[in-house]
Coordinates of all heavy atoms in Angstrom, one line a residue:
S85 N 0.9 -1.2 0.0 CA 0.0 -0.1 0.0 C 0.9 1.3 0.0 O 1.9 1.3 0.7 CB -0.9 0.0 1.3 OG -1.9 1.0 1.2
I86 N 0.4 2.2 -0.8 CA 1.2 3.6 -0.8 C 0.8 4.3 0.4 O -0.3 4.6 0.7 CB 0.8 4.3 -2.0 CG1 1.1 3.5 -3.3 CG2 1.4 5.7 -2.1 CD1 0.5 4.1 -4.6
C87 N 1.9 4.9 1.1 CA 1.6 5.4 2.5 C 2.7 6.4 2.8 O 3.8 6.2 2.5 CB 1.7 4.2 3.5 SG 1.5 4.8 5.2
H88 N 2.2 7.6 3.4 CA 3.1 8.6 3.9 C 4.2 8.9 2.8 O 5.4 8.7 3.0 CB 3.8 8.2 5.2 CG 2.8 8.2 6.4 ND1 2.3 9.4 6.9 CD2 2.3 7.2 7.1 CE1 1.5 9.1 7.9 NE2 1.4 7.7 8.0
S89 N 3.7 9.3 1.7 CA 4.5 9.3 0.5 C 4.5 10.6 -0.2 O 3.6 11.4 -0.2 CB 4.0 8.2 -0.6 OG 4.6 8.3 -1.7
E90 N 5.6 11.0 -0.9 CA 5.8 12.1 -1.8 C 5.5 11.7 -3.3 O 5.9 12.6 -4.2 CB 7.1 12.8 -1.5 CG 7.2 13.6 -0.3 CD 6.5 15.1 -0.6 OE1 7.3 15.9 -1.1 OE2 5.5 15.2 -0.1
A91 N 5.1 10.6 -3.6 CA 5.0 10.1 -5.0 C 3.9 11.0 -5.7 O 3.0 11.5 -5.1 CB 4.5 8.7 -5.1
M92 N 4.3 11.3 -6.9 CA 3.4 11.9 -7.9 C 3.0 10.9 -9.0 O 3.3 9.7 -8.9 CB 4.1 13.1 -8.4 CG 4.5 14.2 -7.5 SD 3.1 14.9 -6.4 CE 2.3 15.9 -7.7
Y93 N 2.1 11.3 -9.9 CA 1.5 10.5 -10.9 C 2.4 9.5 -11.4 O 1.9 8.2 -11.4 CB 0.8 11.3 -12.0 CG 0.1 10.5 -13.0 CD1 -1.1 10.0 -12.9 CD2 0.8 10.2 -14.2 CE1 -1.7 9.2 -13.9 CE2 0.2 9.5 -15.3 CZ -1.0 8.9 -15.0 OH -1.6 8.1 -16.0
D94 N 3.5 9.8 -12.1 CA 4.3 8.8 -12.7 C 4.8 7.8 -11.8 O 4.8 6.5 -12.1 CB 5.6 9.5 -13.4 CG 5.1 10.3 -14.6 OD1 4.0 10.1 -15.2 OD2 5.9 11.1 -15.1
E95 N 5.1 8.1 -10.5 CA 5.6 7.2 -9.6 C 4.5 6.3 -9.1 O 4.7 5.1 -8.8 CB 6.3 8.0 -8.3 CG 7.6 8.7 -8.8 CD 8.0 9.7 -7.8 OE1 7.1 10.6 -7.4 OE2 9.2 9.8 -7.5
V96 N 3.2 6.8 -8.9 CA 2.1 6.0 -8.5 C 1.9 5.0 -9.6 O 1.6 3.8 -9.2 CB 1.0 6.8 -8.2 CG1 -0.3 6.1 -7.8 CG2 1.2 7.9 -7.0
I97 N 1.8 5.4 -10.8 CA 1.7 4.4 -11.9 C 2.7 3.3 -11.9 O 2.4 2.1 -12.0 CB 1.6 5.1 -13.2 CG1 0.3 6.0 -13.3 CG2 1.6 4.1 -14.4 CD1 -1.0 5.4 -13.1
E98 N 3.9 3.7 -11.7 CA 5.0 2.8 -11.7 C 4.9 1.9 -10.4 O 5.1 0.6 -10.6 CB 6.3 3.5 -11.6 CG 7.6 2.5 -11.6 CD 9.0 3.2 -11.5 OE1 8.8 4.5 -11.4 OE2 9.9 2.5 -11.5
A99 N 4.4 2.4 -9.3 CA 4.2 1.6 -8.1 C 3.1 0.4 -8.4 O 3.1 -0.7 -8.1 CB 3.8 2.5 -7.0
C100 N 2.0 0.9 -9.1 CA 0.9 0.0 -9.4 C 1.5 -1.2 -10.3 O 1.1 -2.3 -10.3 CB -0.2 0.7 -10.2 SG -1.1 1.8 -9.3
E101 N 2.4 -0.8 -11.3 CA 3.1 -1.8 -12.1 C 3.9 -2.7 -11.4 O 4.3 -3.8 -11.9 CB 3.8 -1.1 -13.2 CG 2.9 -0.3 -14.2 CD 3.8 0.6 -15.1 OE1 4.9 0.9 -14.8 OE2 3.1 1.0 -16.1
N102 N 4.4 -2.4 -10.1 CA 5.3 -3.1 -9.4 C 4.6 -3.8 -8.1 O 5.4 -4.0 -7.1 CB 6.5 -2.2 -9.1 CG 7.5 -2.2 -10.1 OD1 8.3 -3.0 -10.4 ND2 7.3 -1.0 -10.9
G103 N 3.3 -3.9 -8.1 CA 2.7 -4.7 -7.0 C 1.9 -3.9 -6.0 O 1.1 -4.4 -5.2
Y104 N 1.9 -2.5 -6.0 CA 1.1 -1.8 -5.1 C -0.3 -1.7 -5.5 O -0.7 -1.5 -6.7 CB 1.6 -0.3 -5.0 CG 3.0 -0.2 -4.3 CD1 4.2 -0.5 -5.0 CD2 3.1 0.3 -3.0 CE1 5.4 -0.4 -4.3 CE2 4.3 0.4 -2.4 CZ 5.5 0.1 -3.0 OH 6.7 0.2 -2.5
S105 N -1.3 -2.0 -4.5 CA -2.6 -2.1 -4.9 C -3.6 -1.3 -4.0 O -4.8 -1.3 -4.3 CB -3.1 -3.6 -4.8 OG -2.9 -4.1 -3.6
M106 N -3.1 -0.6 -3.1 CA -3.9 0.2 -2.1 C -3.2 1.5 -1.9 O -2.0 1.7 -2.1 CB -4.1 -0.6 -0.8 CG -4.9 -1.8 -0.8 SD -5.2 -2.5 0.8 CE -6.4 -1.3 1.4
V107 N -4.1 2.4 -1.4 CA -3.6 3.7 -0.8 C -4.0 3.8 0.7 O -5.3 3.6 1.0 CB -4.2 5.0 -1.5 CG1 -3.7 6.2 -0.9 CG2 -3.7 4.9 -3.0
T108 N -3.0 3.9 1.5 CA -3.3 3.9 2.9 C -3.9 5.2 3.4 O -3.5 6.3 2.9 CB -2.1 3.6 3.8 OG1 -1.5 2.3 3.4 CG2 -2.2 3.7 5.2
H109 N -4.8 5.2 4.4 CA -5.7 6.3 4.8 C -5.6 7.4 3.8 O -4.9 8.4 3.9 CB -5.2 6.8 6.1 CG -3.7 6.9 6.5 ND1 -2.8 7.5 5.6 CD2 -3.0 6.5 7.5 CE1 -1.6 7.5 6.1 NE2 -1.7 6.9 7.3
F110 N -6.6 7.4 2.8 CA -6.7 8.2 1.7 C -6.8 9.6 2.2 O -7.5 10.0 3.1 CB -7.9 7.8 0.9 CG -8.0 8.3 -0.5 CD1 -7.0 8.4 -1.4 CD2 -9.3 8.7 -1.0 CE1 -7.0 8.7 -2.8 CE2 -9.4 9.1 -2.4 CZ -8.3 9.2 -3.1
Y111 N -6.1 10.6 1.5 CA -5.9 12.0 1.9 C -4.9 12.2 3.0 O -4.4 13.4 3.0 CB -7.3 12.7 2.2 CG -8.1 13.1 1.0 CD1 -9.0 12.0 0.4 CD2 -7.9 14.2 0.3 CE1 -9.6 12.4 -0.8 CE2 -8.7 14.6 -0.8 CZ -9.5 13.6 -1.4 OH -10.2 14.0 -2.5
S112 N -4.7 11.3 3.9 CA -3.8 11.6 4.9 C -2.4 11.1 4.5 O -2.2 9.9 4.1 CB -4.2 10.8 6.2 OG -5.5 11.3 6.7
G113 N -1.4 11.9 4.6 CA -0.1 11.5 4.1 C 0.0 11.3 2.6 O 0.9 10.8 2.2
N114 N -0.9 11.9 1.9 CA -0.9 11.8 0.4 C -0.6 13.0 -0.3 O -0.9 14.1 0.3 CB -2.3 11.3 0.0 CG -2.8 10.0 0.5 OD1 -3.9 9.6 0.1 ND2 -2.0 9.1 1.1
T115 N 0.0 13.0 -1.5 CA 0.2 14.2 -2.2 C -1.0 14.6 -3.0 O -1.9 13.7 -3.3 CB 1.4 13.9 -3.2 OG1 1.2 12.8 -4.0 CG2 2.7 13.8 -2.5
F116 N -1.1 15.9 -3.5 CA -2.1 16.4 -4.2 C -1.7 17.0 -5.5 O -0.4 17.1 -5.7 CB -2.9 17.4 -3.4 CG -3.4 16.9 -2.2 CD1 -2.7 16.9 -1.0 CD2 -4.7 16.3 -2.0 CE1 -3.2 16.4 0.2 CE2 -5.2 15.8 -0.8 CZ -4.5 15.9 0.2

């Protein structure tokens, strides 16, 4: 799960391609 992260779109997409399937506590510790 993506968590307490500075990832932006390209990195989130790459994370999905590498096994990440959730976002932990949506909006908290997330980038906008």
Side-chain angles (χ1 to χ4, degrees):
S85 193
I86 299 169
C87 178
H88 292 287
S89 168
E90 281 280 281
M92 299 299 287
Y93 175 80
D94 288 342
E95 292 161 318
V96 176
I97 295 300
E98 185 181 359
C100 294
E101 294 168 343
N102 284 277
Y104 290 76
S105 60
M106 293 188 71
V107 178
T108 299
H109 44 47
F110 200 41
Y111 280 88
S112 297
N114 296 173
T115 51
F116 302 87

